[in-house]
Amino acid sequence: MKVLVIGSGGREHTIAWKVAQSPRLSKLYIAPGNAGTASLGENVDIGASDIDELVEFAKENEIDLTIVGPEQPLVDGVVDAFQEAELAIFGPDKAAAQLEGSKAFSKDFMARHNIPTASYKTFNNFRPAKEYLKTVSLPVIVKASGLAAGKGVIICQSIGEALDALEDIMKRHAFGEAGDKVVIEEFLQGEEVSIIAITDGENYKMLLPSQDHKPAYDGGRGPNTGGMGAYAPAPVASEEVVEIVRKDIIEPTLTGMKEEGHQYTGFLYCGLMITRDGPKVLEYNCRLGDPETQVILPLLESDLLDVLESVIEGGFAEEPVELSDDFATCVVAASGGYPGKYSKGKEITGLSDVDADYAEVFHAGTKERKGKIVTDGGRVFGVTCRGETLQKSIDRVYEELDKIKFNGMQFRSDIGRKGLRYY
Ligand code: AMP
Ligand code: GLY
């Protein structure tokens, strides 16, 4: 099979790494990829959002399967464009990807189908939103409805902060068109977990529950980032919790989408808060998570190409999706200053000292320059280690990460610690 992976982050390096293990792979392309994916296949100089060029490339190179990493091309209709050209692609079409692309859509959808989520109101205009804020209890969450690269959610401790957030989004257009609508919602207390299923719209199979670490610094302090590390399986998602998530969240989501004429296929990511009243949906994503993928795919025993192909070609219900009994932890190394200003082009050393029996280095913001690997983004790479216990996977990952250096490297030293108290 000739496979094209779309994207350039740690998630896409991990997808490429998993695909590269399949005996069925004959040729792997990554568009645009990074220095890590270049060692697994051929990087193609086409941006993840350049849909027409991606279709053209897939046609010319007779790609058998395309796997989409990030949300933007899905929300923009990359799947529809490939399908029109009779090219096989894994992911939801544009209508189904609204579950992530529009928080106004997803909140109304959950309300229509009684799927547990924070209570909310949606606004198209500033004035009524401002009036509504006078009635809410604190803290309150203000969200831009559209895609905002994970930055469009503001947790407000006072009405003043909420008004500022509203003005930023609706008047100063801090997130562009993504802020034409806002969602104001109740603050949910609890522990977060990411549960991702693979689905053909009717059948679904769950991957292991994982936990991301969004704040930049130890103890959950500092500004939110794209994610500084993850581990799986996350024990907060007990068997009992997972059962509720199946019955009250995943199944009504798939049935609801189908009933509404937007059958959902692809990865369905449920960002959940486990509250005292049970799991509630914080958000849906229409793709795999980053850095969750860096721990989930190493714990998937089945051949990813077999699984994804069965979703597209049929036979998914009978296709085994086998998961490991191990744990995995991924720690992300970021450029100094991230998620604020940071510089690029720092040489990364020690990459080849990592013990390949235990650890994988998944590149994100890296590139090759004159035979050296240098930093090229905020999140630079993640190191993932498996272990028979969570503690072992954590100990190993920090031991391996210690071998890699670049100027200004920053990482959290408490990834996975939240999970240890369950053992
Ligand atoms: P979202 O992109 O909607 O998942 O929001 C990003 C992050 O904001 C989530 O991962 C949570 O940490 C936080 N968040 C979003 N909505 C809520 C809520 N209703 N209550 C508490 N925290 C929230
Ligand atoms: N790690 C959160 C996300 O991928 O949205």
Side-chain angles (χ1 to χ4, degrees):
M1 271 172 101
K2 288 187 180 175
V3 176
L4 168 66
V5 175
I6 298 176
S8 63
R11 167 182 48 210
E12 289 77 18
H13 185 189
T14 314
I15 296 170
W17 169 84
K18 183 70 185 158
V19 165
Q21 291 165 20
S22 173
R24 300 181 57 207
L25 182 75
S26 59
K27 177 86 189 168
L28 176 61
Y29 297 98
I30 310 94
N34 57 39
T37 61
S39 67
L40 296 168
E42 190 177 326
N43 284 352
V44 181
D45 190 18
I46 302 177
S49 293
D50 298 336
I51 295 180
D52 293 343
E53 283 180 61
L54 290 167
V55 169
E56 224 26 64
F57 177 84
K59 266 199 235 163
E60 271 169 28
N61 293 278
E62 297 175 331
I63 300 295
D64 298 300
L65 175 65
T66 297
I67 307 169
V68 191
E71 61 277 17
Q72 190 73 54
L74 291 166
V75 169
D76 292 343
V78 69
V79 169
D80 312 58
F82 271 64
Q83 284 172 346
E84 215 156 283
E86 293 180 5
L87 291 161
I89 184 164
F90 184 80
D93 63 14
K94 187 174 180 169
Q98 285 182 91
L99 271 190
E100 174 166 4
S102 165
K103 288 186 190 293
F105 173 85
S106 74
K107 294 296 287 190
D108 291 345
F109 172 83
M110 287 186 267
R112 284 196 292 279
H113 298 279
N114 281 320
I115 296 167
T117 187
S119 60
Y120 74 103
K121 257 185 170 329
T122 304
F123 297 93
N124 299 313
N125 293 303
F126 179 75
R127 263 174 183 282
K130 182 179 165 185
E131 282 307 306
Y132 178 69
L133 278 182
K134 293 180 182 155
T135 70
V136 302
S137 43
L138 294 168
V140 67
I141 313 279
V142 179
K143 297 183 177 184
S145 174
L147 290 185
K151 300 188 187 89
V153 173
I154 301 134
I155 302 176
C156 310
Q157 303 295 340
S158 68
I159 299 299
E161 270 179 45
L163 271 174
D164 282 348
L166 201 59
E167 282 187 6
D168 267 350
I169 297 174
M170 297 196 99
K171 294 214 148 155
R172 289 190 280 275
H173 307 287
F175 307 108
E177 279 174 23
D180 288 353
K181 284 188 187 173
V182 295
V183 173
I184 299 178
E185 72 176 38
E186 165 202 17
F187 176 80
L188 296 176
Q189 199 109 41
E191 200 172 328
E192 281 189 63
V193 67
S194 309
I195 294 195
I196 302 175
I198 299 178
T199 179
D200 62 3
E202 289 183 6
N203 310 284
Y204 68 93
K205 301 196 180 170
M206 308 220 322
L207 298 170
L208 288 168
S210 59
Q211 224 166 20
D212 186 7
H213 297 63
K214 285 190 177 127
Y217 313 130
D218 283 8
R221 289 175 300 107
N224 263 357
T225 69
M228 295 297 289
Y231 71 98
V236 64
S238 61
E239 264 178 48
E240 193 192 345
V241 165
V242 169
E243 207 42 43
I244 299 173
V245 172
R246 282 178 182 279
K247 294 280 170 276
D248 294 351
I249 295 173
I250 296 182
E251 289 169 17
T253 300
L254 297 181
T255 321
M257 289 300 279
K258 194 170 172 211
E259 274 170 21
E260 295 191 9
H262 311 311
Q263 181 154 333
Y264 190 99
T265 67
F267 294 110
L268 177 66
Y269 170 133
C270 301
L272 306 171
M273 187 72 88
I274 310 302
T275 72
R276 274 198 299 193
D277 305 324
K280 295 191 179 183
V281 178
L282 290 173
E283 62 165 345
Y284 292 109
N285 292 324
C286 58
R287 47 158 177 96
L288 286 169
D290 189 342
E292 289 94 326
T293 305
Q294 288 88 309
V295 293
I296 291 172
L297 289 189
L299 296 174
L300 172 67
E301 304 282 5
S302 306
D303 185 320
L304 187 64
L305 287 185
D306 285 343
V307 176
L308 302 190
E309 193 186 44
S310 74
V311 170
I312 296 170
E313 308 277 327
F316 175 59
E318 296 78 43
E319 187 66 36
V321 172
E322 275 158 30
L323 307 174
S324 163
D325 293 329
D326 278 358
F327 289 79
T329 302
C330 171
V331 179
V332 170
S335 296
Y338 173 78
K341 265 202 193 154
Y342 57 83
S343 48
K344 296 182 180 179
K346 312 279 183 211
E347 184 182 351
I348 308 169
T349 59
L351 286 165
S352 55
D353 299 333
V354 168
D355 188 338
D357 286 341
Y358 290 118
E360 289 301 331
V361 181
F362 294 119
H363 291 228
T366 65
K367 73 174 182 195
E368 204 193 309
R369 200 177 61 193
K370 294 183 193 145
K372 292 178 174 161
I373 308 283
V374 300
T375 66
D376 194 40
R379 291 190 291 175
V380 177
F381 61 84
V383 176
T384 297
C385 285
R386 277 172 63 154
E388 309 85 85
T389 63
L390 177 57
Q391 184 72 61
K392 268 192 194 160
S393 74
I394 294 172
D395 292 346
R396 276 180 189 157
V397 87
Y398 282 107
E399 201 175 303
E400 297 301 325
L401 182 65
D402 201 42
K403 299 174 179 172
I404 312 176
K405 305 264 183 279
F406 63 84
N407 212 330
M409 175 164 136
Q410 89 182 35
F411 59 88
R412 277 181 64 161
S413 62
D414 63 348
I415 302 300
R417 196 174 293 163
K418 266 192 287 191
L420 289 174
R421 61 193 160 82
Y422 288 84
Y423 296 100

